[in-house]
Amino acid sequence: MLAGTGPLPGDIVAACEKSGREVFILAHKGVTDPDVIGSTPHEWVHLGAIERTIALLHEHRAEEVVFAGPVKRPSLTSLRLDSRALKLMAGLRKNDDASGDDKLLSMIIGELEGEGFRVVGIDSILPGILAPSGMLGALSPDDEAQADIAVACRVARAVGALDIGQAVIVQQGMVLGVEAIEGTDALLERCRDLRREGPGGVLVKLKKPHQEARVDLPTIGPETVEGARAAGLKGIAIEAGGALVIDLPAVIAAADEAGLFIIGVSSGNP
Amino acid sequence: MLAGTGPLPGDIVAACEKSGREVFILAHKGVTDPDVIGSTPHEWVHLGAIERTIALLHEHRAEEVVFAGPVKRPSLTSLRLDSRALKLMAGLRKNDDASGDDKLLSMIIGELEGEGFRVVGIDSILPGILAPSGMLGALSPDDEAQADIAVACRVARAVGALDIGQAVIVQQGMVLGVEAIEGTDALLERCRDLRREGPGGVLVKLKKPHQEARVDLPTIGPETVEGARAAGLKGIAIEAGGALVIDLPAVIAAADEAGLFIIGVSSGNP
């Protein structure tokens, strides 16, 4: 497992232990939470140490590789790129203007597959983690919220196509905020102050159109519901089959209690 | 003059007084700064009172109408729409998903022109206010900043085409932030915390592609320079001929002192 931030790496470890599957963690300095790793076999590596990452995967006879938990792209200087990573970045710089992560992640996956590892999606280990379609909790969006969802889906697809971000907040047809590098929690927090009087808005998170589905899928968890409630939103729409829900029962319970809807929508047909 | 926020309405009054031109202000409750109006002939109206606005313009025998200063779209409930405004909004709802302001402003301009008023750009009264092309101050962008400007222009055109916002901040090829309804000052403020180590980024403000050029052009002033400095940016690029610079000498002095470049770029060819 290549471990990012948040609790997902721990969930993967638990699922592997339950199924009797061996797991080895490549933890990333300044990214992975040490508490989540606990006593699971692991090594700490810099994000930019691709040569060492591949050597460790071979050494531990990895067959499948899973990316778990998001990684915010840090500055190039703090990545500590090794020679192999530099070669990858050089290819990226030539073919792309490097505005986002999609190309870079695709190239890293290509390197891993070239070494004989199978890169699998997180849902192959945690089958229930992908957002289902339709209402997840007790509530459903009213007509106004449905209109806001439609606007937000259109905007999210467009900003996603530019590899900028995955989340958009729309209220009464107005785009209150677009996520770039700050993350959804920060987006929700600023929309507390930006919200207009009257009916509340919606948060929409969609997979970016060109996004590698095995890494960095849009994610919500109980804290996303809390942030949406605090921002006065009516609910959250996520891409069915294209977004991760961390702790679905807790998300549903929090949403029902807060009076928010959670809906899994198709990106093509919101 | 239909007066929005900020100091621009005062500059228009001063220019009109200088040229001996009569000016009458329609000030907007909760929007226009009363200090900026001073003793200039004016009436206070709600933003949504289009019928009364048109009646007052006729009553004061207005020939030309100028929109001065930005107006953030408030909630529909606080707009106090009169029957004529409601009719306009109904047309808007039918033809558009109302995600932005472009359509609405175009329709308001259409109403005013239908009544026989000429709607003129602010640059017809303040000829020096449009951003010139090329370097405004002493500094110019280095290669890295030029690459960031190119990325930011591409993103700004795309989010502008969706009528979301006009400003984008890019650092080292990464989109740090995209402006929606929060405004450029708030965007700059959050990018203080989002900036990565290493070379600083750029702020780019472009006119939205479908934007009515007589209203709501992207604007910078001395406080934008201060915000950019505080966010660790290398400089600011604005659309030459498509953005307003409030107090150009002060902007240049502030940028030169802070070590920032200010450049007027073509939207088509950044």
Side-chain angles (χ1 to χ4, degrees):
Chain A
M1 181 199 333
L2 302 187
T5 55
L8 261 183
D11 297 342
I12 297 274
V13 169
C16 288
E17 281 174 353
K18 208 171 155 185
S19 64
R21 189 175 194 177
E22 278 184 287
V23 59
F24 170 72
I25 301 177
L26 285 164
H28 294 101
K29 287 164 185 166
V31 175
T32 313
D33 179 355
D35 292 341
V36 164
I37 292 170
S39 58
T40 311
H42 66 276
E43 291 271 359
W44 288 91
V45 292
H46 282 288
L47 275 175
I50 294 185
E51 192 116 41
R52 179 152 167 72
T53 292
I54 287 172
L56 283 165
L57 290 174
H58 280 305
E59 193 180 302
H60 290 266
R61 292 194 186 76
E63 292 172 9
E64 294 190 333
V65 174
V66 65
F67 290 71
V71 173
K72 291 221 187 134
R73 200 204 281 195
S75 72
L76 290 181
T77 46
S78 70
L79 270 175
R80 310 249 190 128
L81 300 169
D82 64 17
S83 57
R84 189 153 180 175
L86 282 168
K87 225 169 99 189
L88 268 182
M89 293 298 290
L92 186 74
R93 287 268 162 192
K94 252 180 256 160
N95 300 319
D96 191 66
D97 50 20
S99 68
D101 296 326
D102 291 350
K103 278 254 167 65
L104 183 59
L105 284 167
S106 294
M107 289 173 94
I108 291 171
I109 287 175
E111 289 289 297
L112 292 170
E113 291 182 328
E115 292 285 337
F117 307 113
R118 277 193 309 281
V119 179
V120 298
I122 202 167
D123 53 307
S124 78
I125 297 165
L126 298 170
I129 198 159
L130 285 179
S133 186
M135 307 313 152
L136 274 61
L139 292 150
S140 10
D142 57 22
D143 288 353
E144 198 162 27
Q146 280 179 34
D148 283 348
I149 291 171
V151 172
C153 281
R154 196 171 57 94
V155 172
R157 276 194 301 275
V159 301
L162 291 163
D163 201 0
I164 297 171
Q166 305 165 321
V168 173
I169 293 177
V170 169
Q171 183 192 14
Q172 298 170 27
M174 286 181 291
V175 181
L176 286 195
V178 171
E179 178 191 36
I181 217 159
E182 71 275 26
T184 306
D185 293 343
L187 171 69
L188 283 166
E189 201 180 319
R190 79 171 180 269
C191 284
R192 287 188 207 184
D193 300 324
L194 296 171
R195 67 171 298 206
R196 298 329 203 212
E197 283 174 42
V202 299
L203 166 68
V204 169
K205 290 192 83 170
L206 301 183
K207 186 165 80 67
K208 294 178 278 187
H210 310 299
Q211 185 170 344
E212 167 57 60
R214 288 169 292 180
V215 284
D216 193 30
L217 286 179
T219 302
I220 67 164
E223 76 293 347
T224 319
V225 176
E226 172 50 29
R229 188 201 56 72
L233 302 187
K234 282 184 184 167
I236 300 172
I238 45 177
E239 183 165 345
L244 308 180
V245 183
I246 309 287
D247 199 347
L248 181 64
V251 164
I252 291 175
D256 286 350
E257 201 195 316
L260 267 63
F261 65 81
I262 314 270
I263 182 173
V265 298
S266 151
S267 144
N269 182 21
Chain B
M1 180 197 335
L2 301 188
T5 55
L8 260 183
D11 296 343
I12 296 273
V13 169
C16 288
E17 280 173 355
K18 209 170 156 188
S19 64
R21 188 175 195 177
E22 277 183 286
V23 60
F24 170 72
I25 301 178
L26 285 164
H28 294 102
K29 288 165 185 165
V31 175
T32 314
D33 179 355
D35 292 342
V36 164
I37 293 171
S39 59
T40 313
H42 66 276
E43 292 270 358
W44 287 92
V45 291
H46 282 289
L47 276 176
I50 295 186
E51 191 115 43
R52 178 150 168 74
T53 293
I54 287 172
L56 283 165
L57 290 173
H58 280 305
E59 193 180 303
H60 289 266
R61 292 195 187 75
E63 291 172 12
E64 294 189 333
V65 174
V66 66
F67 289 71
V71 173
K72 289 222 187 132
R73 200 204 282 196
S75 72
L76 291 180
T77 46
S78 70
L79 270 174
R80 309 248 190 131
L81 301 168
D82 65 16
S83 56
R84 189 152 180 176
L86 281 169
K87 224 169 102 189
L88 268 182
M89 293 298 290
L92 186 72
R93 289 267 162 191
K94 251 180 259 164
N95 300 320
D96 191 64
D97 51 18
S99 68
D101 295 328
D102 290 351
K103 278 255 166 66
L104 183 60
L105 285 167
S106 294
M107 289 174 94
I108 292 172
I109 288 175
E111 290 288 299
L112 293 170
E113 291 183 330
E115 292 285 336
F117 307 113
R118 276 193 310 281
V119 179
V120 299
I122 202 166
D123 52 306
S124 78
I125 297 165
L126 298 170
I129 197 158
L130 285 179
S133 186
M135 308 311 153
L136 272 62
L139 292 150
S140 10
D142 57 22
D143 288 353
E144 196 163 29
Q146 280 179 35
D148 282 348
I149 291 171
V151 171
C153 281
R154 195 172 58 96
V155 172
R157 276 195 302 275
V159 301
L162 290 164
D163 200 1
I164 296 172
Q166 304 166 321
V168 173
I169 293 178
V170 169
Q171 183 192 13
Q172 298 170 29
M174 285 181 290
V175 181
L176 285 196
V178 172
E179 177 190 36
I181 218 160
E182 71 274 25
T184 305
D185 293 343
L187 171 69
L188 283 165
E189 202 181 320
R190 78 170 181 269
C191 284
R192 286 188 207 185
D193 300 322
L194 296 171
R195 67 171 299 207
R196 296 335 203 207
E197 284 174 41
V202 300
L203 166 69
V204 168
K205 291 192 83 170
L206 301 183
K207 187 164 80 66
K208 293 178 277 186
H210 310 298
Q211 185 170 345
E212 168 57 62
R214 288 169 291 180
V215 284
D216 192 30
L217 286 179
T219 302
I220 67 165
E223 77 292 346
T224 319
V225 177
E226 171 50 27
R229 188 201 56 72
L233 301 187
K234 282 183 183 168
I236 300 171
I238 44 176
E239 182 164 343
L244 308 179
V245 182
I246 310 286
D247 198 348
L248 182 63
V251 164
I252 291 174
D256 286 351
E257 202 195 317
L260 266 63
F261 66 80
I262 314 270
I263 182 172
V265 298
S266 151
S267 143
N269 183 21

